[in-house]
Each structure stands twice: as structure tokens, then as C-alpha cells.
Amino acid sequence: MRITSTLIVSFRALRRNILRSTLTSLGIIIGVAAVIATVSIGNGAKAQVEGQIASLGQNIISVFPGTSMSGGMRGGWGSASSLTPEDAQAILREISGVIAVSPELRDRAQVLANGLNWNTTIMGESPEYLDIRIWPLRDGSMFTEQDVRSYGKVAVIGKTVADQLFPNEDPLGQTIRIRNIPFKILGILAPKGFNFFGQDQDDTVIIPYTSHLRRVTHHKNLNSIIVQAVSPGQMPLIQQQITDLLQQRRNERDPDFTVRNQVELAQTATATSRTMTWLLGAIAGVSLVVGGIGIMNIMLVSVTERTREIGIRLAIGAHGREIMLQFLTESVVLSAFGGTIGILVGIGASKLMTHFNGWATLVSTDAIIIAFFFSAAVGIFFGFYPARKAAQLDPIEALRYE
């Protein structure tokens, strides 16, 4: 029997009980829709996190303090606080392929201006920080290397700080006080919004790192060092060279620092969303299996109902493989129909979640293709046994069946 004739007969058989066929496909519809929706949510979350990582800058390598040991007690990561401005200068000076370095300090403090006050993050950075972070200024200018050398009392502020301290004024040229030390505002950062940790990136004041060390916190060490590599391909080599250089500067002592590149940070940040995507996808996949069992059940019923029809076809010369192909085609048509409707429902559900809940969703073409072919495979797998049973019917016994 030609495949076209087989398809026509299959559609006719399914159309006789259109309500039963639709209900049978419901399990596949729900399963495919759930897979598409959950994978879309997971992909959207992953893309959002990767976008936030990318907003930190391109080709970034970060150096963090390691652990410390005191009286047999080991501190956690970041407790060593052994990074110095000299380490940052050595990285820029001695490692080829490094195009920018920013020693970094972070602290929170109450800032005062214009009769108002606001608790915010005080960042100590180099003038290259905004270029590394790809963070433009909305107004004004960044402080210079001369400001770093002279411990300049100058600052660049984020939009949130500007809105809180200067709600109806232009902050440029005005003064804010950080721990009672006046700093002149040179520039206002372009708004960046929240990062993937839920922190407001615009709620910050950036000052020269030397001013942060000598005037604000009176510390000797840095919180971290941000390094920008010339290209992604050189990042692993530069990362290893930074590790070797800092280890050499510490006379081969146990490492009290850790070096991470942007790819590792992105993998760490997206690991949870990736795990949840697979977990939710697997749970949704159970619906596909349940739908497949429903197809097997209804096809067995169909074989029983059409036993006499099968007997007549076998008696007039049909081969067993043609009977088997007939019922297998009906099973695949049922599951493929459910898969197609499920894909449309899944895409619609993703769009609705984005519209009403504001969730970031990203419908993947690969997920659509895989879901469709998997639904068809479910039809083949669960339809094989009923089709084989139909093909093995004895013609005489089938003709006697009432």
C-alpha cells in the first residue's frame, strides 16, 4: 500500500471518533507544551544571566583574595585580603596581552549632599574601570590618572545616588561628603539597572582607588583586581600567567588568592538555571510518556474494534506488514498532531508568561524540533505493539469476530 493511501485511510479512521482522538492526543499536547514552556523559561533565565555577565565587560579576568589561617583557624574565601596596588601594577606591567587593570575596593557608607543623605556602595577604581566595564557616562567625565596619583577628592556617581541626593538639580560640579570628606562630582554614570544578584548597579559612587585606601577606609589591601585581556583566546594563558606572577611575588607561599575568568563566572551563574531547566523538562517529559501510554491504550481498543475489518483485508490479499504500517501510521499521526498543537500552546504560554509576569523567556528552535520529533517517536514506540498485534491476527479468527 502506498504511503499516501495509508495516510488517507489513517485520517478517515481517526476522524470517525474525532473526540476520542483529540482526548488521546491531550497527553502529548500537555507534555510538549510543558516542555516548550519550561525550556523557554530556562533559556530566558540563562540568556538574562549571560547578558548580565557580559555587561560586566569583555574578556574579564578577576583576581580575588583567598583564604587565611590564624591560630589553626581557616578563614573563608576573601579573608586573606593580601592583594595590593603593587600586584595590579605588576600584572599590567609584566604580562603581555593585558590591556587594562583596575584595582578595586568596595565599601558601604552614608553619603551626604544637598541636605540629604543616602547609604550607598563606595567603589575605589582606576580611570580604566568604565572602559573595562563598558559603562558610559551620561554626563561629565571620568577622573584621571593624575587624580589617582594625588589621592584626588573627586567622584563619579550612579543614577540612583543622583536621584536620591539631587532630585531636582544637576549634580555635576557639586559636592558629596563621604565620611565627612568632601568629594567633587565629575560625572554621572549611564543607568545600568539591576544585576543577576538583584543589586542595583546604579546605586554606587566611584572614586580613585588611592583615595579610597588613604582617605575613606585607610586600608592597605584591595578587595579584588579586574583585568581585561586583549582577546578571548588569550584568556586562559593570561589567567595562568597572573597566577604564576602573583605566586612568584609571594615567594611561592601557599596561594592566598584565586583567579577566575569571565567564562567561569558565567558557567557558575548559569549552572542553577541550567539544572532547573533540565529538571523541569524531565518532569514535563513524564507527560509525554503518559500520553504515549494513552495512545497505546486507544490503539489496542481500535484493533479490537476493527478486528473484522482487519480479517477482511487479510483475506483479500493484504500483507501483515501493510496492516502493521496502517496502525503505526495512525499512532504517529495522533502523536504528531498532539505535538504540533503542543508546540503552539507552549509558545503561546511562554509569550503569556512574558506579558503578564514579566519573566524572560526564549523559545528555542532546537527545543521545538526535538519536541516534535520526540512526540512522533512516542507514537512509534507506543504504537508498535498494537500495530504488531493487528498484523499477527489470524484472518479466519478475525472474520469470525463479532
Side-chain angles (χ1 to χ4, degrees):
M1 181 182 289
R2 295 178 180 177
I3 189 64
T4 305
S5 302
T6 304
L7 285 171
I8 292 173
V9 174
S10 298
F11 280 115
R12 285 176 180 171
L14 295 174
R15 195 172 57 184
R16 287 195 210 113
N17 294 287
I18 192 167
L19 179 60
R20 186 174 72 178
S21 300
T22 304
L23 293 175
T24 303
S25 301
L26 196 58
I28 301 293
I29 294 171
I30 294 172
V32 170
V35 168
I36 295 294
T38 54
V39 171
S40 297
I41 292 171
N43 287 340
K46 181 181 175 183
Q48 195 171 32
V49 170
E50 288 175 345
Q52 291 285 354
I53 292 291
S55 72
L56 298 178
Q58 297 296 324
N59 311 326
I60 303 300
I61 298 171
S62 300
V63 185
F64 302 105
T67 61
S68 62
M69 177 77 76
S70 177
M73 297 182 64
R74 300 176 63 197
W77 288 107
S79 61
S81 299
S82 60
L83 298 176
T84 64
E86 289 74 23
D87 289 329
Q89 293 161 10
I91 291 171
L92 182 61
R93 182 177 62 250
E94 299 183 27
I95 298 179
S96 61
V98 172
I99 59 176
V101 171
S102 181
E104 187 171 70
L105 295 106
R106 294 179 300 277
D107 193 20
R108 291 198 69 85
Q110 206 77 13
V111 294
L112 297 90
N114 200 30
L116 300 170
N117 68 88
W118 183 252
N119 188 276
T120 187
T121 302
I122 312 298
M123 303 286 291
E125 303 287 352
S126 74
E128 292 77 23
Y129 176 71
L130 297 187
D131 293 330
I132 295 173
R133 288 283 308 272
I134 317 177
W135 198 345
L137 287 165
R138 189 184 72 185
D139 293 305
S141 61
M142 184 62 168
F143 50 78
T144 65
E145 194 62 40
Q146 176 60 34
D147 294 318
V148 172
R149 289 193 295 268
S150 63
Y151 317 121
K153 293 186 286 185
V154 290
V156 173
I157 65 175
K159 180 179 181 299
T160 300
V161 177
D163 291 343
Q164 294 297 327
L165 297 180
F166 305 95
N168 300 307
E169 298 181 40
D170 183 3
L172 286 181
Q174 300 208 44
T175 300
I176 61 172
R177 302 186 72 84
I178 305 173
R179 291 182 178 159
N180 211 30
I181 302 169
F183 283 79
K184 182 180 179 181
I185 300 173
L186 298 181
I188 304 170
L189 296 163
K192 256 198 172 182
F194 289 83
N195 62 18
F196 57 88
F197 296 115
Q199 298 170 335
D200 184 2
Q201 297 178 92
D202 302 318
D203 189 7
T204 186
V205 174
I206 302 175
I207 62 176
Y209 70 90
T210 51
S211 304
H212 202 297
L213 286 169
R214 297 294 181 89
R215 297 183 185 278
V216 177
T217 57
H218 304 289
H219 290 166
K220 296 180 179 179
N221 302 108
L222 307 172
N223 292 120
S224 60
I225 300 173
I226 304 174
V227 181
Q228 186 175 34
V230 67
S231 67
Q234 294 193 37
M235 287 177 67
L237 175 61
I238 293 173
Q239 183 177 1
Q240 185 58 50
Q241 290 176 339
I242 292 173
T243 302
D244 295 341
L245 174 62
L246 295 181
Q247 189 69 11
Q248 180 184 356
R249 288 176 58 82
R250 284 155 177 73
N251 300 317
E252 304 299 330
R253 298 195 310 267
D254 290 338
D256 55 3
F257 59 88
T258 180
V259 184
R260 304 285 297 277
N261 65 47
Q262 198 171 20
V263 175
E264 293 171 337
L265 292 174
Q267 290 173 343
T268 301
T270 58
T272 302
S273 63
R274 185 168 55 249
T275 301
M276 289 303 298
T277 300
W278 280 104
L279 178 61
L280 293 173
I283 294 172
V286 172
S287 298
L288 287 174
V289 176
V290 173
I293 294 172
I295 288 177
M296 177 186 284
N297 179 56
I298 210 65
M299 292 309 296
L300 286 171
V301 172
S302 181
V303 169
T304 302
E305 290 177 344
R306 296 160 63 187
T307 300
R308 189 172 181 82
E309 174 193 326
I310 295 168
I312 293 171
R313 291 180 58 186
L314 290 172
I316 61 176
H319 295 91
R321 64 175 180 273
E322 294 174 337
I323 302 297
M324 184 174 181
L325 179 61
Q326 175 66 52
F327 282 90
L328 203 56
T329 301
E330 291 181 20
S331 176
V332 172
V333 167
L334 268 177
S335 58
F337 170 76
T340 302
I341 300 300
I343 288 170
L344 297 176
V345 172
I347 293 173
S350 300
K351 300 297 183 184
L352 288 174
M353 283 186 283
T354 301
H355 179 73
F356 289 107
N357 296 329
W359 293 0
T361 58
L362 182 62
V363 179
S364 168
T365 303
D366 292 340
I368 291 174
I369 294 172
I370 291 171
F372 179 79
F373 282 104
F374 187 76
S375 64
V378 166
I380 294 173
F381 180 81
F382 287 99
F384 179 78
Y385 174 72
R388 185 169 178 268
K389 182 179 179 181
Q392 291 179 339
L393 284 176
D394 181 84
I396 297 174
E397 293 298 325
L399 288 169
R400 290 176 179 173
Y401 186 82
E402 294 293 339

